[in-house]
Amino acid sequence: MNETKNQETEKSVPFYPDHVALEAKVALGFAIVLFIIGIIGLFYPVGLGDPADPLNTPAHVKPEWYFLSLYQLLKFIPKDIGALIPVIAVLLIAIWPFLDRKADKTTKARRVRLILTIIGLLTVIALTIWGEVS
C-alpha cells in the first residue's frame, strides 16, 4: 500500500506551481495576440460601407426564419401592440399551469385546447411563409 502511494506521488504533477504557471502563459499569449489584432485593426480599419442610418431601413432587410412571423405581424398592427403580444403570449403560456389546476372531467376542454393550439400554430406557420415570400 505504501509503495503505490509513493509511485502515484512520483507520477503526479502538482497543481499550484505547474498548472497555474501554464495557464498564466496561455492567458499572456492570448492577451498578446488580442493586443496585436487590436493594433492592426486600429491602423487598418475594415469598412463595410456607409454607416448605418436608423431612419432609413433598406427594403431587402429580413429577419431570420424564426422571427418572420413576428416581422409579418408588425406589418398589420401598431408596433407597440405588436411588441407586447408575443411577450404576453409567452407569459400566459408560462403561468397557465399555475392558473388551471383542476382536472379535466370531459374531453371538451381538451378538444378546445387542441383546436386553439392548432389554430395558433397554423397562424404562426402562415405568417412565417407570408413573411418569407413578401
Side-chain angles (χ1 to χ4, degrees):
M1 175 115 180
N2 214 1
E3 292 177 12
T4 59
K5 280 187 179 182
N6 288 338
Q7 289 175 353
E8 287 179 8
T9 56
E10 289 175 8
K11 291 180 183 178
S12 65
V13 178
F15 175 78
Y16 172 63
D18 295 333
H19 186 70
V20 172
L22 177 67
E23 290 296 320
K25 291 174 188 174
V26 169
L28 182 65
F30 183 74
I32 290 171
V33 169
L34 190 65
F35 183 74
I36 291 171
I37 290 173
I39 295 296
I40 291 172
L42 184 66
F43 289 114
Y44 301 105
V46 177
L48 297 176
D50 296 332
D53 183 10
L55 301 176
N56 184 16
T57 303
H60 66 280
V61 174
K62 281 189 182 178
E64 293 294 327
W65 66 269
Y66 40 85
F67 288 126
L68 276 173
S69 60
L70 298 174
Y71 178 72
Q72 191 65 24
L73 184 68
L74 286 175
K75 291 181 181 179
F76 300 111
I77 58 177
K79 291 184 180 180
D80 296 338
I81 297 170
L84 285 177
I85 286 175
V87 173
I88 291 171
V90 168
L91 287 175
L92 184 65
I93 290 171
I95 65 171
W96 190 262
F98 301 106
L99 297 176
D100 186 20
R101 291 186 165 264
K102 63 180 172 36
D104 291 335
K105 295 183 177 146
T106 63
T107 59
K108 182 179 179 184
R110 198 174 334 168
R111 191 174 305 140
V112 168
R113 281 195 301 267
L114 179 66
I115 290 171
L116 288 176
T117 303
I118 290 172
I119 289 171
L121 284 175
L122 288 177
T123 303
V124 168
I125 291 170
L127 284 173
T128 300
I129 293 171
W130 194 2
E132 181 61 34
V133 297
S134 67

